[in-house]
């Protein structure tokens, strides 16, 4: 086995540990330290080895159960304990979910992702969600759900219903996690991801940038994602959407170029994964989004709503795609 290089001896060219198969945080930090043009060039080279650089995947989100969540995630509009504008709603009826999925398909989405504000699903909830998965799959869409932590056997039930992807974000570096969330642990997230993999479901896992974390925390998050074995097929990179009433409502926004660097680091370390430019797009200029695509993002959330907050309207995205010559897949 090759020796692991020490941080002090690292050069940016060391940051491709294909032979070791694992990244170390200092290597990812070295990527962040590259001049931006070199970093983006490198990300584009990696991107073009594995993808058509002019193609973008589109997923549409629907919150199937909103608000009232027991957890204390400091960024989230749906945590019961914070006074936010989000109104609690119980699980949506199947016909509403199917109608939303059909509309998403008609607009051109290839995947439909259903989110629930749960710590984890109860067995009777899971049964209803499996009906939704079957129905959405029946429309010819890829399916994704994000339901929180899973108990033994639940991932198998989801697989059996035909689920393609399970979204469960690491959200932030293990060492920063306790400053944002205390009601569950980073290790619990890893555990659920293991159950999802074991059941043969594809993994969608990423994080949130701009929560007051350091660059080292960002590099560590990317390292933890890249070292999942195998890495997630889909990696959503969210820019914090500040929600009034939550503990993170007033965090200073992250510098745009630091966000672009995070996309590039995800692309370089997870060359075969779809990297999704996720929450926060509504606040981004067209030019910033284009820079994110240049840095290797090749997927977006598509449709005018995320879970509880806004997203650019589909028409606006189509106009942007046309201007950039991007083709949806
Ligand atoms: N309750 C489940 C869970 O926590 O996994 C599923 C829903 S939860 C809302 C899904 C993801 O949305 C979170 O892991 C987080 O990455 C993202 N998210 C939530 N609020 C956000 C915000 N204000 N800004 C950016 N991303 C956010
Ligand atoms: C992900 O990484 N981002 C999406 C999806 N997975 C579930 C959610 C973003 C939520 C943004 C805040 C909101 O709309 O409540
Ligand atoms: Fe609940 Fe998920 Fe929001 Fe955390 S991120 S409060 S688990 S809905």
């Amino acid at each position: 086995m090759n020796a692991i290089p020490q941080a002090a001896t690292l050069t940016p060219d060391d940051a491709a540990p294909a032979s070791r198969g694992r990244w170390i945080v200092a290597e990812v930090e070295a990527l962040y330290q590259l001049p931006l043009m070199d970093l983006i060039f490198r990300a584009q080279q990696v991107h073009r080895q594995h993808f058509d650089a002019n193609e973008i995947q589109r997923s549409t989100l629907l919150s199937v159960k909103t608000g009232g969540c027991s957890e204390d995630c400091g960024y989230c509009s749906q945590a019961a304990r914070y006074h936010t504008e989000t109104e609690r709603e119980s699980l949506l009826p199947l016909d509403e979910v199917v109608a939303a999925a059909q509309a998403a398909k008609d607009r051109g989405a290839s995947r439909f992702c259903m989110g629930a504000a749960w710590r984890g699903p109860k067995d009777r909830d899971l049964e209803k969600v499996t009906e939704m998965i079957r129905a959405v799959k029946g429309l010819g869409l890829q399916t994704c759900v994000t339901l929180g932590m899973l108990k033994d056997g639940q991932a198998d039930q989801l697989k059996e219903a035909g689920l393609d992807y399970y979204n469960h974000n690491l959200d932030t570096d293990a060492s920063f996690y306790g400053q944002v969330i205390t009601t569950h642990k980073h290790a619990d997230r890893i555990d659920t991801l293991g159950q999802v993999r074991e059941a043969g479901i594809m993994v969608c896992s990423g994080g949130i940038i701009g929560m007051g974390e350091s660059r080292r925390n960002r590099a560590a998050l990317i390292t933890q994602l890249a070292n999942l074995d195998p890495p997630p097929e889909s990696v959503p990179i969210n820019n914090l959407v500040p929600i009034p009433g939550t503990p993170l409502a007033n965090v200073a926004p992250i510098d745009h170029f630091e966000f672009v660097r995070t996309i590039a680091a995800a692309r370089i370390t997870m060359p075969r994964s779809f990297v999704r430019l996720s929450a926060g797009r509504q606040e981004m200029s067209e030019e910033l989004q284009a820079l994110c695509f240049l840095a290797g993002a090749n997927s977006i959330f598509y449709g005018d709503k995320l879970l509880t907050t806004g997203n650019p309207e589909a028409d606006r995205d189509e106009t942007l795609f046309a201007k950039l010559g991007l083709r949806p897949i």
Side-chain angles (χ1 to χ4, degrees), residues 2-328:
N2 293 346
I4 293 180
Q6 298 303 302
T9 63
L10 281 172
T11 71
D13 284 339
D14 292 322
S19 55
R20 277 186 293 113
R22 279 181 73 77
W23 290 85
I24 58 174
V25 179
E27 290 166 336
V28 179
E29 260 191 312
L31 290 176
Y32 271 88
Q33 280 152 14
L34 285 170
L36 186 67
M37 306 309 141
D38 291 344
L39 176 60
I40 291 182
F41 179 63
R42 183 131 163 212
Q44 260 294 303
Q45 283 178 311
V46 172
H47 194 172
R48 283 166 187 267
Q49 279 167 26
H50 302 283
F51 291 98
D52 181 326
N54 299 308
E55 285 185 349
I56 300 269
Q57 185 274 332
R58 299 179 294 182
S59 294
T60 292
L61 274 170
L62 176 69
S63 181
V64 297
K65 191 269 165 186
T66 306
C69 184
S70 63
E71 303 306 282
D72 71 349
C73 311
Y75 46 80
C76 188
S77 71
Q78 305 197 70
R81 67 192 69 201
Y82 307 135
H83 298 286
T84 70
E85 283 175 5
T86 298
E87 309 246 339
R88 223 182 254 221
E89 279 174 35
S90 45
L91 196 60
L92 291 183
L94 182 61
D95 57 344
E96 272 187 45
V97 175
V98 172
Q102 182 64 55
K105 188 182 178 197
D106 295 345
R107 275 197 313 264
S110 61
R111 190 177 310 158
F112 192 66
C113 178
M114 296 165 271
W118 290 322
R119 173 181 165 86
K122 298 193 176 67
D123 285 338
R124 71 183 134 83
D125 297 325
L126 198 72
E127 226 165 275
K128 297 213 171 101
V129 173
T130 56
E131 285 170 25
M132 294 174 184
I133 294 167
R134 287 198 170 87
V136 172
K137 187 108 178 132
L139 298 176
L141 282 159
Q142 294 176 347
T143 52
C144 175
V145 295
T146 180
L147 313 172
M149 293 181 279
L150 296 178
K151 294 195 294 266
D152 281 355
Q154 291 188 322
D156 293 327
Q157 279 176 259
L158 291 167
K159 174 69 184 173
E160 150 86 19
L163 184 68
D164 296 302
Y165 291 84
Y166 195 84
N167 167 245
H168 198 63
N169 292 338
L170 291 187
D171 278 325
T172 195
D173 171 21
S175 75
F176 190 68
Y177 203 81
Q179 291 188 47
V180 181
I181 300 153
T182 68
T183 47
H184 57 261
K185 303 212 162 349
H186 194 268
D188 298 325
R189 307 291 284 186
I190 302 267
D191 180 66
T192 288
L193 290 177
Q195 299 196 36
V196 169
R197 267 280 170 242
E198 190 94 329
I201 298 166
M202 286 185 275
V203 169
C204 172
S205 187
I208 309 179
I209 304 304
M211 299 196 292
E213 76 286 343
S214 62
R215 174 177 275 186
R216 188 167 179 89
N217 291 140
R218 288 187 278 279
L221 167 69
I222 297 298
T223 306
Q224 287 149 18
L225 290 165
N227 287 344
L228 292 171
D229 187 14
E233 281 78 12
S234 168
V235 181
I237 305 292
N238 296 278
N239 198 349
L240 176 73
V241 179
I243 310 280
T246 62
L248 297 186
N250 299 313
V251 176
I254 189 148
D255 181 79
H256 293 328
F257 298 118
E258 187 70 7
F259 187 82
V260 174
R261 283 190 149 87
T262 304
I263 298 270
R267 166 52 61 226
I268 293 167
T269 56
M270 293 172 271
R272 291 180 175 78
S273 307
F274 280 86
V275 174
R276 183 172 308 122
L277 175 56
S278 301
R281 238 170 22 88
Q282 197 169 29
E283 292 72 33
M284 291 179 193
S285 67
E286 289 188 338
E287 293 83 352
L288 176 55
Q289 292 182 61
L291 209 47
C292 291
F293 298 138
L294 196 61
N298 60 347
S299 169
I300 58 164
F301 284 121
Y302 181 63
D304 58 6
K305 207 165 169 203
L306 293 165
L307 291 174
T308 66
T309 65
N311 195 45
E313 278 158 18
D315 288 354
R316 252 177 75 193
D317 281 340
E318 269 158 36
T319 306
L320 177 59
F321 279 24
K323 285 194 209 176
L324 301 179
L326 290 173
R327 292 182 306 271

